[in-house]
């Protein structure tokens, strides 16, 4: 068989992933037309390149359809329940850094901490008769984080794009989103709560626990680990 390596199919994540592997003596390259999503691997035998969207890679790893995959640590933790039973972190890759944070309107001068948010949520529900809405696409991570910090009286509303604009558009009162600089949040008159991030994300190489590994795969994997100086 062949080890299937899933890599983001476009953009900066793909470019940085190719660069990271090249720095370890392995060349990943696209083949055919740009939109064909086909590729090749040079510098090691027994590894096949599979180009996927970063959001698809956690699912493919968990299903065992790819052996290895590069994606954000936030996506794996949010999309896979009991993620560490399905995949193993092999190597943080040192790029794609971003924090998953909670932000509220700057006008909420009395809301700066999670305790403040909890109090504001209770007051909001008492006044309006429904729970304070937090727009996010990271439902699992945000829900577990708020539960751990005792925040109640809120509801998560789904947002798959332009999350920062939901407060201005009156479809949410607060947001939980990935940010690297905070510029878009500030442009939309939002402020980040002064607490730890929900998750500090970066691009990471993951190994599937559910994929089939034969002796040939294991031999190729041993060579690959040595070249990448990666953990199991």
């Amino acid at each position: 068989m062949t080890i299937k390596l899933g890599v983001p199919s476009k953009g900066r994540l793909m470019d940085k992933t190719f660069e990271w592997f090249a720095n370890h003596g392995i060349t990943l390259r696209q083949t055919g037309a740009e939109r064909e999503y086909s590729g090749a691997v040079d510098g090691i035998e027994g590894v096949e390149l599979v180009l996927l969207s970063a959001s698809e890679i956690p699912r493919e790893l968990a299903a065992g359809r790819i052996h290895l995959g590069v994606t954000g640590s936030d996506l794996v933790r949010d999309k896979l329940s009991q993620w560490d039973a399905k995949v193993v972190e092999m190597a943080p890759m040192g790029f794609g850094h971003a924090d998953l944070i909670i932000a509220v309107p700057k006008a909420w001068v009395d809301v700066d901490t999670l305790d403040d948010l909890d109090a504001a949520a209770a007051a909001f529900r008492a006044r309006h008769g429904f729970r304070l809405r937090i727009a996010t696409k990271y439902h699992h991570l945000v829900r577990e984080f708020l539960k751990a910090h005792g925040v109640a009286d809120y509801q998560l509303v789904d947002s798959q794009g332009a999350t920062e604009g939901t407060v201005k558009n009156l479809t949410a009162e607060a947001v939980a989103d990935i940010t690297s600089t905070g510029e878009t949040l500030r442009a939309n008159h939002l402020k980040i709560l002064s607490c730890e991030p929900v998750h500090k994300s970066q691009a990471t190489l993951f190994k599937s626990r559910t994929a089939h590994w034969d002796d040939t795969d294991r031999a190729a994997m041993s060579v690959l680990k040595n070249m990448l100086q990666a953990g199991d």
Side-chain angles (χ1 to χ4, degrees):
M1 290 182 64
T2 303
I3 292 176
K4 293 185 176 182
L5 168 63
V7 165
S9 58
K10 59 185 177 180
R12 186 173 180 273
L13 268 182
M14 184 184 76
D15 294 340
K16 296 295 288 185
T17 298
F18 282 17
E19 180 182 320
W20 187 86
F21 275 90
N23 289 337
H24 291 85
I26 299 170
T27 300
L28 308 182
R29 55 187 174 87
Q30 286 183 289
T31 58
E34 182 179 352
R35 295 181 182 273
E36 286 185 28
Y37 299 116
S38 59
V41 180
D42 301 317
I44 186 171
E45 296 293 328
V47 180
E48 174 187 347
L49 182 61
V50 181
L51 296 172
L52 300 164
S53 73
S55 60
E56 289 178 307
I57 290 174
R59 181 192 66 204
E60 297 302 293
L61 284 166
R65 289 187 286 265
I66 58 175
H67 299 80
L68 304 172
V70 174
T71 190
S73 56
D74 58 311
L75 292 175
V76 164
R77 284 163 172 79
D78 192 69
K79 291 183 175 293
L80 301 182
S81 61
Q82 298 182 323
W83 67 271
D84 51 353
K86 299 171 183 175
V87 299
V88 180
E89 281 191 355
M90 287 188 63
M93 301 175 76
F95 60 88
H97 292 282
D99 292 343
L100 175 56
I101 55 80
I102 298 173
V104 300
K106 286 182 181 178
W108 292 13
V109 294
D110 294 328
V111 179
D112 191 52
T113 68
L114 288 170
D115 286 342
D116 296 337
L117 180 64
D118 185 46
F124 182 92
R125 187 179 186 187
R127 179 178 303 170
H128 298 283
F130 62 93
R131 294 177 187 270
L132 181 145
R133 298 165 296 177
I134 302 175
T136 189
K137 62 179 179 180
Y138 297 94
H139 289 243
H140 177 71
L141 279 173
V142 173
R143 186 178 296 110
E144 291 301 308
F145 180 81
L146 293 177
K147 178 181 178 182
H149 289 83
V151 179
D153 280 332
Y154 70 90
Q155 59 179 314
L156 298 181
V157 294
D158 193 48
S159 173
Q160 294 299 320
T163 301
E164 297 90 347
T166 57
V167 174
K168 181 180 179 180
N169 295 332
L170 304 179
T171 56
E173 285 69 52
V175 303
D177 201 14
I178 284 285
T179 183
S180 54
T181 66
E183 289 183 9
T184 305
L185 292 167
R186 290 189 289 271
N188 284 276
H189 309 289
L190 300 172
K191 63 179 182 179
I192 299 172
L193 293 185
S194 58
C195 61
E196 62 182 317
V198 177
H199 177 67
K200 297 180 74 67
S201 182
Q202 69 172 301
T204 303
L205 175 63
F206 290 93
K207 174 184 174 183
S208 172
R209 291 186 184 273
T210 59
H212 176 71
W213 298 82
D214 62 20
D215 290 342
T216 302
D217 296 333
R218 294 187 186 95
M221 187 65 193
S222 179
V223 174
L224 182 63
K225 283 173 58 179
N226 287 336
M227 295 181 72
L228 300 181
Q229 298 178 331
D232 195 8

